[in-house]
Amino acid sequence: MTDDERGVSEVLSYILVFSVVAVTIAFVLGDGLGAVTTTQQNARIDAAQSGVAILDKSIETVYQTGVPRRSTELKPNGGTLSVGGRLDVDIVVSQGGSDLFDYGSASSRFTHTIDDQSVGLALGARFRSGTGGVAMTAEPPFHFGDERTNLPVVLLTGADSVSTGSPVQIVADTENEELLDHRTAGPSAGTPYTVEVTVETTPERAAAWNRYFQREGLTAVDDDPSDGTVVYSHETRRLIIEEFTTGLELR
């Protein structure tokens, strides 16, 4: 090999080594930055989830203690706070095949959205959603029992949306508190009541409700959430149904 050929070979080897090192560094940096971005987004979502839990407790304080108004401060963290959407709930009470009570209402949802993920609150339950679907992170305040069933229906009203870097005041106001139905089946040999609960929302959220009703051991009437509706029933000897309506205002 001549000196010129040896020189060319050394240059090509240097270029090849440099290219491999450069590509490796770019790959590591790109992957590392992606991991950092994902970690930061997850941290923001975790903070949003904690904020929704605080708001949930504030709403609970309003309807459980009779406090007419409560304010909660949340930080959007580069996301959007909103009150809106729609969730429909229907409750039918029957005994021995005869309908005794029929209730239906609609509720808004509170949602904190950051990029492609969100956390929210509806009907007294908390949710977290992302590319993998929707999970119920805290269950509604329902109690299903053979001897006693208590259904406090927590409704939200309002329609607003805020995207800002500054903290947002969320004011929860009591709008309505009402005992809708209260009945007892009598002696243990009597016919129990059948309570049928229908929830209509988005298909992803309906799937989360479907899993909740299954965990509670209710009987499926319609357990296909693909159309956004699930229906479950339960038999009980004593029943209490209450409605608590809270208005949410973003300031």
Side-chain angles (χ1 to χ4, degrees):
M1 179 180 292
T2 65
D3 291 341
D4 290 342
E5 290 174 334
R6 186 179 297 108
V8 170
S9 178
E10 290 175 352
V11 170
L12 290 175
S13 298
Y14 175 78
I15 293 174
L16 178 61
V17 171
F18 179 80
S19 300
V20 170
V21 171
V23 170
T24 302
I25 292 174
F27 176 79
V28 171
L29 285 177
D31 191 58
L33 289 174
V36 169
T37 301
T38 300
T39 300
Q40 290 176 339
Q41 184 187 37
N42 288 338
R44 290 158 62 204
I45 286 292
D46 289 343
Q49 185 168 315
S50 298
V52 169
I54 294 173
L55 176 62
D56 186 21
K57 291 299 180 184
S58 294
I59 294 172
E60 184 179 306
T61 299
V62 168
Y63 73 75
Q64 284 190 346
T65 66
V67 175
R69 172 178 295 185
R70 185 128 182 172
S71 180
T72 304
E73 183 178 276
L74 297 184
K75 296 180 180 179
N77 284 330
T80 301
L81 304 178
S82 61
V83 182
R86 183 184 174 100
L87 181 149
D88 292 294
V89 57
D90 291 278
I91 301 174
V92 176
V93 180
S94 62
Q95 187 180 43
S98 299
D99 289 348
L100 304 175
F101 174 79
D102 192 344
Y103 165 82
S105 192
S107 175
S108 294
R109 300 192 306 264
F110 175 82
T111 307
H112 187 171
T113 303
I114 298 177
D115 298 330
D116 60 348
Q117 299 187 58
S118 67
V119 293
L121 178 65
L123 208 63
R126 300 199 298 269
F127 300 86
R128 180 166 178 163
S129 65
T131 55
V134 178
M136 184 181 289
T137 58
E139 297 179 348
F142 299 156
H143 171 77
F144 295 96
D146 295 337
E147 295 300 319
R148 180 179 64 85
T149 292
N150 187 20
L151 301 178
V153 182
V154 183
L155 305 177
L156 301 178
T157 64
D160 200 358
S161 179
V162 175
S163 299
T164 178
S166 303
V168 176
Q169 292 290 331
I170 304 174
V171 180
D173 284 302
T174 298
E175 293 187 353
N176 183 58
E177 296 182 9
E178 183 179 357
L179 176 62
L180 299 174
D181 194 39
H182 182 196
R183 60 184 73 231
T184 303
S188 58
T191 304
Y193 301 111
T194 298
V195 185
E196 187 175 277
V197 181
T198 301
V199 173
E200 183 178 356
T201 179
T202 65
E204 295 79 12
R205 288 179 171 83
W209 280 102
N210 194 57
R211 293 189 292 270
Y212 162 71
F213 288 134
Q214 290 175 347
R215 290 195 300 270
E216 289 294 312
L218 274 61
T219 301
V221 178
D222 177 4
D223 60 355
D224 180 5
S226 60
D227 62 351
T229 301
V230 291
V231 185
Y232 278 79
S233 68
H234 177 69
E235 291 191 347
T236 187
R237 307 203 60 77
R238 186 183 179 199
L239 177 65
I240 301 173
I241 304 175
E242 301 171 276
E243 180 187 275
F244 301 97
T245 305
T246 302
L248 293 184
E249 180 183 357
L250 308 184
R251 296 180 179 178

